[in-house]
């Protein structure tokens, strides 16, 4: 038995140490909460309002016509970009020789000769035709009827119809392209100063450093408001978050200690209650036994004497049980608990329930205490954020772009001012062109109307004429309509060819000299070649480019979204990385958080009176009482022989008796036994059952009492000692996590500033976009329909010649034949 008890004690000690390790292990092993998606800041696109929108070529149903015109122009002008001629014209205009210009523009000179020939020949032919008509020699009647005349008439009708259809198609294309040129010219011309202003605004807004400005670099710096507001918002919840974290990480340990303490207090209260019941019950049982003993002895004597009476029939079988009728359990032999009760007298002296409630309330108030203790440092950190804003402002104040962008802005201002007169002239010339084109296209349509009307009337007159020599008014009217169309063609053909050549000369040179070389970047190569441009037009110096750079390379870099930072190599004069080092702005912020300390875990779980009560409880001897003696004694009945059983036996014997006197005495003795059982024995048995409950509880508690009380006292003391230490550890850990989280906001902002200043706010992509937009406006949206206009109008003009011939020849077939030959 001693060896088993020692083993139980060692097992309890090991379990207590394991529990203490589980509850008191350092809270610093906890990790920071993982960053949520909300930890990624979103910054405003500060430069979106001054971007240059990219324009693109819009697919059109006239694209095949545009391609055909470009191929025709490539045939007319096969010479490459005249670099020598352009160099001489730009640097020394007086040295340019006419022969050089003619040699380059040879294709256009040939076209000019053709146009001149047309301009002279067609009106002269018209005057000759008028003279012949006045002499009745042209457009008269057929002299004789031949069998092949019908075939020739149908052939002429078909040719004139086909020619009219070609002219109609061409004039429709001319109308459409003329309107398209007009529709694109006004916005295209307006886009030139608008683009220059946008570029100038873009360049001007980049280095804006006025303290209250919301543009350019200052706009980027002002985005510090995003992390500042986020950090201030986080500071608002820091103290409560720290308190809640301390409470959450220490509540298991604290609540376990309080629950253990509550269990020991309960053990004390319950043990004292059961000890009092045990003492009182044992006394009551001893007193009841003393009262029962003489009555039971007298009852045994009377029953034995009755059963031993010879008149009692068959009574010998019950005599032995009656003779053994005596008392059973003797509770005067069990150990006394008076000494234990004396030791526990007056306990508990402290209110354990109130003590536990106060300890629990103090621990649960840690979040509010953290808010109170951290209020000052939170305010200091808010003030530090205001000072940090002033430090960030130094990025804008020291940014060096003005020295680089000012020349570009001045050049753009000059370009915008100088372009206005030319744009106004172009707009006026376009207005004249549109009016002339519309009028002449309308005349062409009038000529086609004459053709259609003449052919319709003439054909109808032929169908109604029975004799070819007969006069028919509708045929004659048809012939006159055709001659009116011929007259209009002669009258306005020279105006048409002049308009065609004028627009051809302008549009063709724009396409072959500018657009073609713009697409293959020959213009950029010409500009990049030293000596091609005069000093006043040195774009490398005016745009403040690097000496080892050129316009082509700059255009390619800007096209690939490079920034002015890269193009101008500003890192040679301004160390942006040095200005964007996080410690430069966050050192004081980190130091204030790092130096902060506060005691937040001072919780009193067990006061000295309560500790003394538990120690007295452990020393009271509750565990030294031999509860086994109680249990052994309770195994014995109150009376050795069962009174109910003996009473039922006597009742059975009564029925067997022939002697009524004996039967009556047996019945009386049975009733007396039942009365003793119900009045005395049953009450003692109830006391024994009550005693058993107390003995059972105390016997279960006693072996572990000492170890449990010692463990509770040790755990409570350890928790009280470790709470402030672990609370401080958690405080440092939470502040460290908070610091790292806020520094990530700073890092995000500074990285965004660096990327934005290098690539976005100081981006030169708008310069490349503006150049591309200029090519799209000039070449795709204006030059293509412009060239398609003169090409379509030229087709109309040149097809007027066969139209005149076929119309004049056809008029003879609509008039009566002079001599009818069979």
């Amino acid at each position: 038995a001693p060896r088993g008890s020692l083993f139980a004690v060692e097992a309890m000690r090991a379990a207590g140490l394991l529990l203490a390790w589980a509850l008191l292990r350092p809270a610093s092993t906890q990790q920071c909460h993982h960053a949520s998606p909300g930890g990624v800041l979103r910054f405003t696109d500060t430069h979106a309002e001054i971007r240059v929108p990219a324009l693109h070529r819009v697919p059109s149903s006239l694209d095949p016509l545009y391609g055909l015109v470009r191929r025709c122009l490539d045939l007319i002008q096969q010479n490459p970009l005249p670099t020598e001629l352009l160099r001489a014209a730009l640097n020394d205009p007086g040295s340019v020789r006419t022969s050089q210009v003619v040699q380059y523009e040879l294709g256009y000179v040939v076209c000019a000769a053709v146009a001149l020939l047309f301009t002279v020949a067609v009106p002269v032919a018209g005057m000759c035709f008028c003279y012949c008509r006045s002499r009745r020699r042209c457009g008269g009647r057929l002299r004789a009827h031949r069998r092949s005349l019908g075939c020739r008439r149908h052939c002429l009708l078909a040719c004139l119809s086909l020619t009219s259809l070609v002219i109609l198609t061409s004039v429709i294309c001319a109308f459409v392209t003329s309107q398209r040129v007009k529709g694109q010219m006004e916005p295209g011309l307006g886009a030139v100063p608008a683009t220059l202003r946008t570029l100038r605004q873009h360049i001007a807004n980049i280095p804006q450093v006025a303290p209250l400005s919301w543009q350019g670099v200052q706009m980027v710096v002002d985005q510090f408001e995003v992390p500042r507001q986020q950090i201030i918002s986080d500071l608002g919840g820091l103290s409560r978050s720290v308190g809640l974290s301390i409470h959450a990480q220490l509540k298991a340990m604290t609540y376990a200690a309080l629950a253990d303490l509550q269990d020991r207090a309960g053990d004390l209260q319950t043990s004292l209650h059961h000890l009092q019941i045990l003492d009182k019950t044992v006394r009551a049982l001893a007193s009841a036994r003393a009262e029962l003993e003489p009555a039971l002895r007298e009852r045994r004597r009377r029953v034995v004497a009755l059963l031993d009476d010879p008149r009692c029939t068959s009574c010998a079988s019950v005599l032995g049980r009656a003779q053994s009728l005596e008392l059973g359990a003797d509770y005067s032999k069990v150990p006394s608990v008076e000494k234990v009760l004396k030791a526990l007298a007056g306990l508990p002296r402290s209110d354990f329930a109130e003590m536990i409630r106060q300890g629990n309330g103090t621990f649960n108030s840690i979040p509010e205490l953290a808010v109170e203790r951290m209020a000052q440092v939170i305010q200091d950190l808010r003030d530090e954020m205001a000072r940090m804003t002033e430090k960030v402002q130094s990025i804008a104040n020291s940014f060096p772009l003005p020295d680089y962008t000012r020349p570009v802005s001045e050049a753009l201002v000059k370009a915008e001012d100088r372009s206005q007169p030319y744009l106004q002239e172009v707009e006026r010339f376009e207005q004249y062109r549109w009016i002339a084109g519309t009028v002449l296209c309308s005349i062409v349509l009038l000529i086609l109307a004459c053709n259609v009307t003449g052919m319709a009337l003439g054909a109808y007159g032929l169908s109604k004429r029975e004799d070819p020599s007969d006069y028919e008014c509708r045929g004659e009217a048809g012939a006159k309509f055709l001659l009116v169309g011929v007259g209009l063609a002669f009258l306005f053909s020279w105006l048409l060819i002049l308009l065609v050549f004028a627009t051809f000369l302008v549009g063709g040179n724009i396409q072959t000299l500018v657009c073609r070389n713009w697409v293959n970047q020959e213009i950029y190569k010409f500009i990049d070649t030293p000596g091609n441009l005069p000093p006043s037009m040195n774009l490398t110096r005016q745009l403040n480019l690097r000496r080892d750079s050129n316009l082509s390379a700059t255009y390619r870099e800007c096209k690939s979204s490079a920034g002015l930072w890269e193009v101008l190599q500003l890192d040679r004069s301004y160390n942006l990385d040095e200005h964007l080092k996080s410690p430069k702005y966050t050192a004081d912020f980190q130091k204030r958080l790092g130096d902060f300390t506060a005691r937040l875990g001072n919780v009193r779980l067990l006061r000295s009176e309560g500790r003394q009560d538990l120690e007295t409880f452990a020393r009271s001897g509750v565990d030294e009482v031999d509860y086994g003696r109680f249990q052994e004694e309770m195994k014995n009945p109150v009376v050795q022989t069962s009174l109910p059983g003996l009473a039922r036996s006597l009742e059975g014997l009564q029925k067997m008796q022939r002697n009524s006197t004996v039967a009556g005495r047996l019945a009386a003795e049975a009733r007396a036994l039942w009365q003793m059982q119900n009045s005395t024995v049953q009450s003692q048995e109830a006391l024994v059952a009550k005693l058993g409950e107390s003995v059972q509880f105390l016997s279960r508690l006693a072996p572990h009492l000492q170890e449990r009380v010692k463990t509770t006292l040790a755990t409570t003391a350890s928790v009280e000692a470790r709470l402030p230490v672990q609370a401080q550890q958690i405080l440092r850990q939470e502040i460290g996590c908070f610091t790292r989280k806020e520094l990530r906001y700073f890092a995000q902002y500074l990285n965004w500033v660096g990327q934005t200043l290098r690539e976005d706010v100081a981006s030169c992509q708008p310069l490349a976009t503006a150049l591309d937009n200029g090519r799209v406006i000039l070449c795709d949206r204006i030059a293509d329909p412009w060239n398609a206009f003169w090409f379509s109008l030229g087709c109309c003009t040149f097809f007027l010649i066969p139209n005149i011939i076929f119309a004049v020849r056809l008029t003879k077939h609509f008039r009566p034949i002079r001599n009818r030959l069979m």
Side-chain angles (χ1 to χ4, degrees):
R3 181 176 301 174
S5 176
L6 180 62
F7 176 77
V9 170
E10 291 298 326
M12 288 295 297
R13 182 175 299 169
L17 291 175
L18 182 61
L19 176 64
W21 175 84
L23 295 179
L24 305 179
R25 57 181 177 160
S28 59
T29 58
Q30 302 292 333
Q31 300 296 324
C32 294
H33 301 292
H34 295 293
S36 64
V40 178
L41 299 179
R42 295 289 181 266
F43 299 101
T44 304
D45 186 0
T46 59
H47 219 52
E49 70 279 7
I50 52 175
R51 292 189 185 277
V52 177
L55 302 179
H56 303 283
R57 179 184 180 89
V58 180
S60 169
S61 58
L62 295 176
D63 285 345
L65 177 60
Y66 297 159
L68 176 62
V69 175
R70 283 195 293 269
R71 285 191 290 273
C72 291
L73 288 174
D74 289 339
L75 290 175
I76 294 171
Q77 178 57 282
Q78 300 181 9
N79 296 320
L81 183 69
T83 54
E84 297 296 332
L85 180 60
L86 289 176
R87 183 189 298 115
L90 292 173
N91 290 276
D92 186 11
S95 63
V96 178
R97 297 190 303 272
T98 306
S99 59
Q100 292 177 299
V101 179
V102 171
Q103 182 179 358
Y104 173 72
E105 297 280 1
L106 184 59
Y108 293 98
V109 171
V110 173
C111 292
V114 174
L116 180 61
L117 179 61
F118 187 95
T119 305
V120 174
V122 174
V124 169
M127 287 187 292
C128 293
F129 178 75
C130 291
Y131 177 76
C132 291
R133 281 292 298 148
S134 65
R135 303 299 294 252
R136 299 182 179 274
R137 293 187 179 184
C138 298
R141 303 179 184 181
L142 292 175
R143 294 183 177 276
H145 178 73
R146 295 183 178 82
R147 300 189 179 198
S148 61
L149 193 60
C151 180
R152 292 174 61 189
R153 183 189 305 118
H154 289 128
C155 182
L156 288 173
L157 275 171
C159 291
L160 183 58
S161 299
L162 181 60
T163 304
S164 298
L165 181 62
V166 172
I167 294 174
L168 178 63
T169 304
S170 300
V171 80
I172 290 174
C173 291
F175 262 124
V176 171
T177 52
S178 179
Q179 288 300 121
R180 187 161 296 185
V181 171
K182 187 177 186 299
Q184 292 292 339
M185 184 67 73
E186 184 174 353
L189 294 177
V192 174
T195 302
L196 293 175
R197 281 194 300 272
T198 303
L199 287 176
R200 182 158 50 83
Q201 181 186 6
H202 173 74
I203 298 298
N205 284 341
I206 290 171
Q208 193 65 253
V209 295
L212 298 179
S213 175
W214 284 83
Q215 299 175 341
V217 177
Q218 183 63 37
M219 293 172 65
V220 176
V221 172
D222 288 339
Q223 284 294 300
F224 179 66
E225 189 68 14
V226 175
R228 191 182 78 85
Q229 289 294 342
Q230 181 63 51
I231 293 170
I232 288 178
S233 174
D234 291 348
L235 282 173
L238 173 62
S239 54
R240 178 161 292 276
S241 174
V242 168
L244 291 175
S245 181
I246 293 174
H247 184 272
Q249 295 187 43
L250 298 182
K251 67 179 181 181
M253 174 178 70
T254 305
Y255 289 167
L258 289 172
D260 196 29
L261 180 60
Q262 189 173 17
D263 290 343
R264 298 294 79 74
D267 290 345
L268 172 59
Q269 295 279 4
T270 309
S271 298
L272 182 60
H273 173 69
H274 282 292
L275 284 170
Q276 291 171 347
I277 290 176
L278 187 146
D279 182 64
K280 186 185 298 184
T281 305
V282 168
R283 291 177 185 276
L285 286 171
S287 175
R289 189 178 190 279
E291 294 176 359
L292 180 62
E293 185 176 6
L296 185 64
R297 188 166 53 249
E298 176 62 21
R299 188 56 53 198
R300 182 182 60 186
R301 185 188 65 78
R302 292 174 66 99
V303 172
V304 169
L306 177 59
L307 294 176
D308 203 24
D309 190 335
R311 292 176 295 176
C312 186
T313 304
S314 301
C315 294
S317 59
V318 185
L319 182 61
R321 292 167 61 190
Q323 289 175 344
S324 63
L325 190 64
E326 58 184 14
L327 294 173
D330 186 2
Y331 288 98
S332 62
K333 299 177 182 179
V334 297
S336 174
V337 294
E338 290 182 2
K339 182 179 178 182
V340 178
L341 287 172
K342 186 177 180 180
L344 295 177
L347 294 183
R349 286 183 292 272
S350 57
D351 188 349
F352 280 95
E354 179 64 19
M355 191 187 309
I356 292 171
R357 188 189 66 78
Q358 290 180 359
N360 194 46
T362 303
F363 176 74
N364 289 335
S365 66
I366 285 179
E368 287 73 19
L369 183 63
V371 172
E372 178 184 344
R373 298 282 175 84
M374 297 184 69
Q376 184 58 47
V377 72
I378 296 297
Q379 184 57 44
D380 293 343
L381 290 171
R382 287 195 176 102
D383 297 339
E384 180 60 32
M385 289 304 301
R387 289 188 290 271
M388 200 178 299
T389 303
E390 299 175 0
K391 295 178 182 178
V392 172
Q393 180 63 38
S394 65
I395 299 176
N397 295 337
S398 59
F399 206 65
L401 268 179
D403 297 337
Y404 294 87
T405 57
R406 190 179 299 109
V408 180
S409 297
E410 293 173 355
L412 291 173
V413 171
K414 292 180 181 178
E416 184 179 350
D417 294 339
R418 293 177 180 178
S419 65
Q420 290 295 340
Y422 296 103
L423 295 176
Q424 293 173 1
E425 289 297 321
V426 170
E427 187 175 3
R428 188 176 63 176
F429 178 77
E430 162 58 20
Q431 185 69 20
Y432 294 156
R433 181 211 62 81
W434 179 80
I435 294 174
T438 303
V439 171
L440 292 177
C441 287
S442 301
I443 292 173
V444 173
L445 287 177
L446 183 59
I447 294 172
L448 292 176
C450 291
N451 286 349
V452 173
T453 305
M455 287 189 289
L457 291 175
Y460 185 70
L462 288 176
S463 66
K464 296 296 183 179
R465 190 168 58 191
E466 297 179 358
D467 190 333
S469 62
D470 293 342
Y471 176 82
E472 211 286 321
C473 63
R474 282 164 290 198
E476 184 67 26
K480 290 181 178 180
F481 269 107
L482 290 178
L483 290 178
V484 169
V486 170
L488 290 175
F490 279 128
L491 185 60
F492 291 100
S493 60
W494 67 279
L495 291 175
L496 285 168
I497 199 64
L498 288 179
L499 179 60
V500 168
F501 181 73
T503 52
F504 159 72
L505 189 62
V506 175
N509 276 291
I510 290 176
Q511 172 62 34
T512 57
L513 185 62
V514 180
C515 294
R516 186 171 64 188
N517 294 295
W518 200 338
V519 172
N520 59 27
Q521 297 192 358
E522 288 295 326
I523 289 180
Y524 296 140
K525 296 177 183 178
F526 174 80
I527 295 174
D528 292 337
T529 303
N532 283 349
L533 297 178
S536 60
M537 298 177 63
N538 191 329
L539 295 181
T540 301
R541 187 177 69 252
Q542 290 188 7
L543 297 179
N544 216 349
L545 302 178
R546 304 188 309 264
R547 291 184 178 180
D548 58 343
S549 180
N550 52 50
L551 188 61
S552 299
T554 302
Y555 170 77
R556 286 192 296 271
E557 290 177 359
C558 294
K559 185 75 172 175
S560 62
S561 301
L564 290 178
W565 185 272
E566 178 183 352
V567 174
L568 302 178
Q569 291 188 349
L570 295 180
D571 54 341
R572 295 179 179 179
S573 60
Y574 183 80
N575 192 343
L576 183 59
D577 292 332
E578 183 66 27
H579 284 77
L580 297 181
K581 286 184 177 179
S582 182
K584 181 177 179 180
Y585 307 98
T586 61
D588 293 339
F589 185 86
Q590 289 180 263
K591 187 175 185 302
R592 287 185 181 276
L593 282 173
D595 293 344
F596 175 75
T597 58
R599 294 186 64 83
L600 299 174
N602 294 329
V603 180
R604 189 72 179 273
L605 302 180
L606 182 63
R607 293 195 294 270
S608 59
E609 310 88 63
R611 183 176 295 276
Q612 291 175 4
D613 285 351
L614 291 180
E615 291 174 349
T616 302
F617 178 43
R619 296 194 304 267
S620 65
V622 175
D623 56 330
E624 297 175 359
V625 177
D626 188 1
Y627 297 102
R629 293 280 301 278
F630 286 90
Q631 294 171 341
E632 290 176 2
E633 200 64 36
M634 284 188 296
K635 292 178 182 178
N636 298 323
V638 176
V639 179
Q640 291 292 348
T641 300
S642 172
L643 293 181
L646 182 58
R648 282 190 289 271
S649 297
L650 293 179
E651 290 172 348
L653 289 175
Q654 174 198 354
K655 297 176 182 179
M656 299 171 59
Q657 302 302 316
R658 289 187 293 271
N659 189 323
S660 59
T661 302
V662 173
R665 291 177 62 188
L666 286 171
E669 291 300 328
R671 286 194 299 273
L673 289 174
W674 278 114
Q675 183 179 1
M676 182 178 290
Q677 171 66 27
N678 294 332
S679 62
T680 305
V681 175
Q682 280 187 358
S683 63
Q684 292 188 35
E685 287 176 347
L687 291 174
V688 171
K690 186 177 181 181
L691 177 65
E693 294 176 1
S694 298
V695 169
Q696 184 179 6
F697 173 80
L698 293 171
S699 63
R700 285 200 309 265
L701 175 67
H704 312 299
L705 177 62
Q706 292 286 341
E707 190 65 29
R708 286 181 179 176
V709 172
K710 289 179 181 178
T711 300
T712 299
L713 293 176
T715 301
T716 305
S718 298
V719 169
E720 288 181 346
R722 293 295 298 274
L723 273 176
V725 177
Q726 292 196 14
Q728 185 65 23
Q729 291 176 351
I730 296 172
L731 173 67
R732 299 310 317 154
Q733 169 194 312
E734 290 296 319
I735 288 180
C737 292
F738 176 82
T739 303
R740 289 190 289 275
K741 177 184 175 183
E742 306 314 312
L743 290 182
R744 282 196 295 271
Y745 290 142
F746 281 113
Q748 286 184 51
Y749 170 71
L750 294 175
N751 290 338
W752 176 81
V753 169
Q755 179 181 0
T756 304
L757 291 182
R758 288 187 175 100
E759 300 175 7
D760 188 13
V761 170
S763 172
C764 73
Q765 189 175 24
L767 301 176
T769 304
L771 289 175
D772 292 340
N773 289 351
R775 183 190 59 77
V776 171
I777 293 172
L778 177 63
C779 300
D780 296 338
R781 298 191 177 183
I782 295 179
D784 277 351
W786 177 288
N787 289 327
F789 166 73
W790 63 252
F791 184 83
S792 302
L793 196 60
C795 289
C796 294
T797 305
F798 282 101
F799 270 91
L800 285 177
I801 297 175
N803 178 81
I804 292 172
I805 296 173
F806 295 140
V808 171
R809 298 290 299 273
L810 190 59
T811 56
K812 297 179 180 182
H813 293 268
F814 293 158
R815 288 175 172 169
I817 300 175
R818 292 181 179 179
N819 300 318
R820 181 178 179 186
L821 299 178
M822 301 301 294

